[in-house]
Amino acid sequence: MQATGIIVEYNPLHLGHLHHIKQTRKTTEADCIIAVMSGPFLQRGEPAIIDKWERTKTALEASVDLVVELPHLFAVQHGDYFSKGAVETLANLHVSSICFGSEQGTIEPFLTAHKTWEDKRDSFDSILTSFLEKGNSYPESSRLAYEAIGISEIDLSRPNNILGYSYVKAINRYAPSITPETITRVESDYHDETIEGTIASATSIRKNLHKYGEITKKASETLPTFTSKALQAYRDEKQVWHSLEIYFPLIQHLLWTSSPEELRMIQGVDEGLEHRLLKAIDVSSSFHDLMHTVKTKRYTWTRLQRLFIHLLTNIKKTDSRLLEKPVSYVRVLGMNDRGREYLSQHKKDFEVPVVTQLKQLEDPLFTLDLKAQKAYLYPLSGENRVDSYRREKMPPVFY
Amino acid sequence: MQATGIIVEYNPLHLGHLHHIKQTRKTTEADCIIAVMSGPFLQRGEPAIIDKWERTKTALEASVDLVVELPHLFAVQHGDYFSKGAVETLANLHVSSICFGSEQGTIEPFLTAHKTWEDKRDSFDSILTSFLEKGNSYPESSRLAYEAIGISEIDLSRPNNILGYSYVKAINRYAPSITPETITRVESDYHDETIEGTIASATSIRKNLHKYGEITKKASETLPTFTSKALQAYRDEKQVWHSLEIYFPLIQHLLWTSSPEELRMIQGVDEGLEHRLLKAIDVSSSFHDLMHTVKTKRYTWTRLQRLFIHLLTNIKKTDSRLLEKPVSYVRVLGMNDRGREYLSQHKKDFEVPVVTQLKQLEDPLFTLDLKAQKAYLYPLSGENRVDSYRREKMPPVFY
């Protein structure tokens, strides 16, 4: 059996994702589609709207065959580390190819661009540094630096092209035997804030859900029925859809009881940011307040959100060393018969433990996954918190 | 002007306390009664039911002339440190005497007992150690050790005698120019759990308040009208009466995201207790659950509660060094004209800063007071939390 990997968050899984899965199966003719999915917290520094177990179910409903968890430490990082974690996880499962959605829609320009970058790497790095020093954000500086070294075959200001390009870089560096492939992303721009039509960005769908506290007609038209059901069931059972706002009392407490020295140990608290945070928190009544008080051109929204996730999950700067090491396990969240068959066929060849039960693993990277999962449960009521944590110790979802 | 000091928590101020204040004025003929009061958290490791500002108002209504705050680090400690902090604070204000309520009711037996203890101090210490090593709790071991060295003139198993005795010890050691005095305590035993009559223990009153979520007729009969009003106003405004239970989501989060090494840095986490805590927290849905899972004969209720307060307020073992130093400031919470007059008369003689505004002071002990106050505010809603913190920066209560 041959497998193709996809890299997903499914926050929540919408009709655009469904299209991506169908197209991937068609294009790659893979026997097995393996999704590496972020767990409790996501790349742009947010808690997932519903937990990873419910999102795993939607992935399996959408005909993904095997869902595995992207280790938390890699899940909440800028594109390069995020891609490293995702690609290495899929490589650990011996996928033949990775297929991502992009605005570009064809793989050749990605490969050419990567070749150009490799040839001009030194000058790229110094150009990037100079843009950063001028006070540009990291994404903006990268875009300008790519332009400056003459990458013209692909628009690296489009969000899915940027992400796809970082997958290609990671594949080249960490798992060159994997073939990168891409399909045209039909989802609307993920920066879109309002729902337009049935193919909407996950961001706009979440905004709509949080705003109305229910699944509006507009939102439901963008979602497969099983996603709407999963969202509703989670809300009915746990009384919540997660957003950073509901973690605010905790964020305020942590900032209020930490010394500047302690804050400086948290990943992302750099350049004296701890003082800015400690000043802002005294006058903030909500997460929204806090972000608007702290944000500047230099400290982008995403960078700050990631920092707050690191604070919530107690991820230290010293944990960063694990980002440089290879991903050392695969945590299975769910599978169907095909996924199970794939695992049993390849089991003997895997170089790292493929974990289906919590107790099977002692690994510092995995300890952080558990910590993140526990931190995620904060907004739930007492009983729900303990029950949900118990879920963590149970076998994967079978579908 | 001459001042008498009293050492109080007023959690909440009840008719027994009112009697204590009246008797103190009568017995000592003091011009000015100064109360040193615990702030947000109390000696037995609990948050105060309403905040220190509201409790200060009740003290002033009860005719206390000056209310100052016992530094947080000393407020949540066993009797010896608690007494050191309280006595030193009152000594900083040059009180002539300290008058406490006790079951004993006369001061001579305390002084005789203290003399005996001083003479037999070495054997006392080794006897105490041997009782502790047999697995007895600290209070129980002390009681047995006092008995063993022949202190018979006073019953050191009665809670207010124990506390009074530790005041006498602290006065002798840290401020021997202060005269200790005592009056008979009319309050019922503070271990009483149900209200009987109009003189009830603060514990039984709090139990009643928390159980019914309102001021019952039974509770109101034990309280001056102004205390009932303060309790009601606080609940109306902040939607809460504080108890450890409402801090539980935070306690669980802190335990769930801390490593054993980090927990071991918290004051009170000794003898491998961190492992016991980490095991218990996975199966606890409430603070009540947690306490019942962790508690043993050795780890008493009070000791564990204090530990959880240290966790909430992020008090480290390294902060303990401040317990050995003299109290280095006095924070004024409230006063009437007489209190104000006393302060202005003696101002020039004070050896430490007497603080009426937050910005006047940079002191590591005071930093912990602020941290504790912020941690206390956790259960309030966003706006109330920031408003309440703003109160901290305002002048004391004038009455």
Side-chain angles (χ1 to χ4, degrees):
Chain A
M1 280 176 94
Q2 291 268 23
T4 289
I6 58 178
I7 298 167
V8 306
E9 297 198 313
Y10 294 158
N11 185 37
L13 191 151
H14 55 57
L15 294 178
H17 295 129
L18 210 55
H19 173 85
H20 173 218
I21 297 164
K22 280 187 191 143
Q23 284 300 107
T24 299
R25 201 176 289 283
K26 212 162 112 185
T27 310
T28 65
E29 294 177 347
D31 306 305
C32 179
I33 294 188
I34 302 179
V36 55
M37 187 178 82
S38 302
F41 297 99
L42 306 177
Q43 206 235 333
R44 278 185 291 157
E46 286 171 6
I49 189 164
I50 58 176
D51 76 16
K52 63 186 180 189
W53 301 107
E54 291 305 316
R55 279 151 53 235
T56 296
K57 283 182 203 159
T58 63
L60 295 170
E61 291 260 17
S63 91
V64 170
D65 301 306
L66 179 60
V67 184
V68 300
E69 185 170 354
L70 177 61
H72 169 72
L73 187 66
F74 289 93
V76 186
Q77 298 290 342
H78 66 67
D80 286 349
Y81 282 128
F82 177 87
S83 302
K84 174 180 185 286
V87 165
E88 285 189 339
T89 299
L90 291 170
N92 281 336
L93 289 168
H94 296 187
V95 302
S96 315
S97 61
I98 289 177
C99 183
F100 55 89
S102 64
E103 290 86 1
Q104 186 66 32
T106 51
I107 198 68
E108 292 72 22
F110 286 97
L111 305 177
T112 320
H114 185 259
K115 183 82 184 56
T116 309
W117 174 77
E118 280 206 312
D119 293 346
K120 300 186 178 170
R121 200 162 169 172
D122 289 345
S123 58
F124 175 87
D125 287 348
S126 67
I127 294 166
L128 177 64
T129 308
S130 78
F131 280 121
L132 283 170
E133 280 170 356
K134 277 177 196 148
N136 294 291
S137 69
Y138 188 87
E140 178 64 4
S141 302
S142 311
R143 191 188 65 76
L144 290 167
Y146 284 125
E147 211 173 77
I149 61 167
I151 293 183
S152 57
E153 51 280 86
I154 181 169
D155 179 357
L156 283 177
S157 72
R158 307 295 301 276
N160 292 295
N161 285 349
I162 297 174
L163 214 51
Y165 180 72
S166 75
Y167 299 154
V168 169
K169 271 205 306 192
I171 289 169
N172 247 280
R173 181 156 173 198
Y174 303 107
S177 67
I178 293 176
T179 310
E181 304 194 49
T182 188
I183 56 169
T184 307
R185 190 166 176 113
V186 295
E187 182 186 312
S188 60
D189 188 323
Y190 88 167
H191 288 314
D192 282 359
E193 302 244 321
T194 54
I195 297 177
E196 300 294 340
T198 60
I199 301 289
S201 73
T203 304
S204 66
I205 298 169
R206 284 197 305 278
K207 283 227 174 215
N208 192 286
L209 292 168
H210 284 305
K211 183 171 173 188
Y212 296 102
E214 59 170 23
I215 303 166
T216 59
K217 188 164 171 295
K218 217 166 182 176
S220 76
E221 284 169 2
T222 68
L223 300 169
T225 315
F226 54 78
T227 298
S228 293
K229 275 190 185 159
L231 284 164
Q232 193 58 52
Y234 193 86
R235 188 156 179 117
D236 289 346
E237 201 189 325
K238 322 267 181 172
Q239 309 296 322
V240 75
W241 283 332
H242 298 247
S243 75
L244 265 170
E245 197 59 75
I246 51 176
Y247 293 82
F248 180 69
L250 185 51
I251 291 173
Q252 189 160 44
H253 177 87
L254 294 170
L255 289 176
W256 265 357
T257 55
S258 301
S259 64
E261 296 71 34
E262 286 173 314
L263 284 180
R264 257 200 305 278
M265 294 171 69
I266 298 294
Q267 208 178 101
V269 183
D270 302 311
E271 307 160 14
L273 195 48
E274 66 276 14
H275 300 295
R276 201 175 163 81
L277 292 172
L278 289 174
K279 219 169 152 184
I281 197 63
D282 281 359
V283 295
S284 299
S285 302
S286 65
F287 186 72
H288 183 263
D289 280 2
L290 177 61
M291 286 295 282
H292 281 277
T293 313
V294 179
K295 200 190 163 303
T296 62
K297 199 181 165 192
R298 186 175 193 95
Y299 302 128
T300 61
W301 199 269
T302 301
R303 177 172 169 188
L304 290 173
Q305 287 199 155
R306 279 189 203 130
L307 179 164
F308 290 121
I309 300 300
H310 298 325
L311 180 70
L312 287 173
T313 54
N314 197 15
I315 299 287
K316 301 281 167 60
K317 282 181 182 148
T318 50
D319 294 319
S320 306
R321 72 195 156 79
L322 297 171
L323 289 168
E324 307 300 334
K325 295 189 179 175
V327 174
S328 43
Y329 59 90
V330 177
R331 172 97 192 269
V332 178
L333 294 177
M335 56 190 129
N336 60 20
D337 284 337
R338 218 162 16 215
R340 195 201 307 239
E341 199 190 328
Y342 180 85
L343 282 186
S344 73
Q345 266 194 25
H346 291 76
K347 207 192 283 184
K348 291 187 306 291
D349 310 327
F350 294 143
E351 294 86 7
V352 302
V354 175
V355 179
T356 52
Q357 288 212 343
L358 198 137
K359 61 179 172 194
Q360 290 170 270
L361 193 61
E362 294 262 346
D363 187 297
L365 195 58
F366 190 61
T367 304
L368 301 183
D369 290 0
L370 284 182
K371 221 192 245 190
Q373 182 62 20
K374 289 169 178 174
Y376 179 77
L377 300 178
Y378 166 75
L380 273 52
S381 73
E383 297 260 327
N384 266 326
R385 239 179 358 251
V386 171
D387 280 353
S388 293
Y389 181 58
R390 209 169 285 139
R391 174 66 189 91
E392 205 61 20
K393 298 177 188 174
M394 285 156 62
V397 181
F398 281 104
Y399 185 76
Chain B
M1 280 176 96
Q2 293 266 23
T4 290
I6 58 179
I7 298 168
V8 306
E9 297 199 312
Y10 293 159
N11 186 37
L13 191 150
H14 55 57
L15 294 178
H17 295 129
L18 210 54
H19 174 84
H20 172 219
I21 297 164
K22 281 187 191 143
Q23 284 299 108
T24 300
R25 202 177 287 284
K26 213 163 113 185
T27 309
T28 64
E29 295 179 343
D31 307 304
C32 179
I33 294 189
I34 303 179
V36 56
M37 188 179 82
S38 301
F41 297 99
L42 306 177
Q43 208 236 331
R44 279 187 288 157
E46 287 172 6
I49 189 165
I50 58 175
D51 76 16
K52 63 185 179 190
W53 300 107
E54 292 305 317
R55 280 151 53 235
T56 295
K57 283 182 203 157
T58 64
L60 295 171
E61 292 260 18
S63 92
V64 170
D65 301 307
L66 179 60
V67 184
V68 300
E69 185 169 354
L70 176 61
H72 170 71
L73 186 67
F74 289 92
V76 186
Q77 298 290 341
H78 66 66
D80 286 348
Y81 282 128
F82 177 87
S83 302
K84 174 180 185 285
V87 165
E88 286 188 338
T89 299
L90 291 171
N92 281 336
L93 289 169
H94 296 187
V95 302
S96 314
S97 62
I98 288 176
C99 182
F100 55 88
S102 64
E103 291 85 1
Q104 185 65 33
T106 50
I107 199 68
E108 292 71 22
F110 285 97
L111 305 177
T112 321
H114 184 258
K115 183 79 182 58
T116 311
W117 174 77
E118 279 205 314
D119 292 345
K120 302 186 177 168
R121 198 160 170 175
D122 289 345
S123 57
F124 176 86
D125 286 349
S126 66
I127 295 166
L128 178 65
T129 309
S130 78
F131 281 120
L132 283 171
E133 279 169 356
K134 277 176 197 150
N136 293 290
S137 69
Y138 189 86
E140 178 64 5
S141 302
S142 309
R143 193 188 64 77
L144 292 166
Y146 284 125
E147 213 173 78
I149 61 168
I151 293 183
S152 57
E153 52 279 86
I154 181 169
D155 179 356
L156 284 177
S157 73
R158 308 294 301 275
N160 292 296
N161 285 349
I162 297 174
L163 214 51
Y165 180 72
S166 76
Y167 298 153
V168 170
K169 270 207 304 191
I171 290 169
N172 248 280
R173 181 156 174 200
Y174 303 108
S177 67
I178 292 176
T179 311
E181 305 194 48
T182 189
I183 55 170
T184 308
R185 190 165 176 115
V186 295
E187 181 186 314
S188 60
D189 190 324
Y190 87 168
H191 289 313
D192 282 359
E193 303 245 320
T194 53
I195 297 176
E196 300 294 340
T198 60
I199 302 288
S201 73
T203 305
S204 66
I205 297 170
R206 285 197 306 278
K207 284 227 174 217
N208 192 286
L209 291 169
H210 285 304
K211 182 170 174 191
Y212 296 102
E214 59 170 23
I215 303 165
T216 59
K217 188 165 171 295
K218 215 165 183 178
S220 77
E221 284 169 2
T222 67
L223 300 169
T225 315
F226 54 78
T227 299
S228 293
K229 275 190 186 161
L231 284 163
Q232 193 58 54
Y234 193 86
R235 189 156 178 116
D236 289 346
E237 201 188 326
K238 322 269 181 173
Q239 310 295 323
V240 75
W241 282 331
H242 297 248
S243 74
L244 266 169
E245 197 59 76
I246 50 175
Y247 294 81
F248 180 69
L250 186 51
I251 291 172
Q252 189 160 44
H253 177 87
L254 294 171
L255 290 175
W256 265 357
T257 55
S258 301
S259 64
E261 295 71 34
E262 285 174 314
L263 284 181
R264 256 201 305 278
M265 294 172 68
I266 298 293
Q267 210 178 101
V269 183
D270 302 311
E271 303 160 16
L273 195 47
E274 66 276 15
H275 301 294
R276 201 174 164 80
L277 292 171
L278 289 174
K279 216 169 155 186
I281 197 62
D282 281 359
V283 294
S284 299
S285 302
S286 65
F287 186 73
H288 183 263
D289 279 3
L290 177 61
M291 286 295 283
H292 282 276
T293 312
V294 178
K295 201 190 163 304
T296 62
K297 199 182 166 194
R298 187 176 192 94
Y299 303 127
T300 61
W301 199 269
T302 301
R303 178 174 168 187
L304 290 172
Q305 288 198 154
R306 278 188 203 130
L307 179 164
F308 290 123
I309 301 299
H310 297 325
L311 180 69
L312 286 173
T313 54
N314 196 16
I315 299 287
K316 302 282 166 59
K317 282 181 181 147
T318 50
D319 295 319
S320 305
R321 72 195 156 80
L322 297 172
L323 289 169
E324 306 300 335
K325 296 190 180 176
V327 173
S328 42
Y329 59 89
V330 177
R331 172 99 191 268
V332 178
L333 294 178
M335 56 189 129
N336 60 20
D337 284 336
R338 219 163 15 215
R340 195 201 308 239
E341 199 190 328
Y342 180 84
L343 283 186
S344 73
Q345 264 192 26
H346 291 77
K347 206 191 284 185
K348 292 185 307 291
D349 310 327
F350 294 144
E351 293 86 8
V352 303
V354 175
V355 180
T356 52
Q357 289 213 340
L358 197 136
K359 61 179 172 193
Q360 290 169 273
L361 193 62
E362 295 262 345
D363 187 296
L365 196 58
F366 190 60
T367 305
L368 302 182
D369 290 0
L370 284 182
K371 222 191 243 189
Q373 181 62 20
K374 289 170 179 173
Y376 180 76
L377 300 178
Y378 166 76
L380 273 52
S381 72
E383 297 259 328
N384 266 326
R385 231 172 12 244
V386 170
D387 280 354
S388 292
Y389 180 58
R390 209 167 284 138
R391 175 65 189 90
E392 204 60 20
K393 298 178 188 174
M394 284 156 62
V397 181
F398 282 103
Y399 184 79

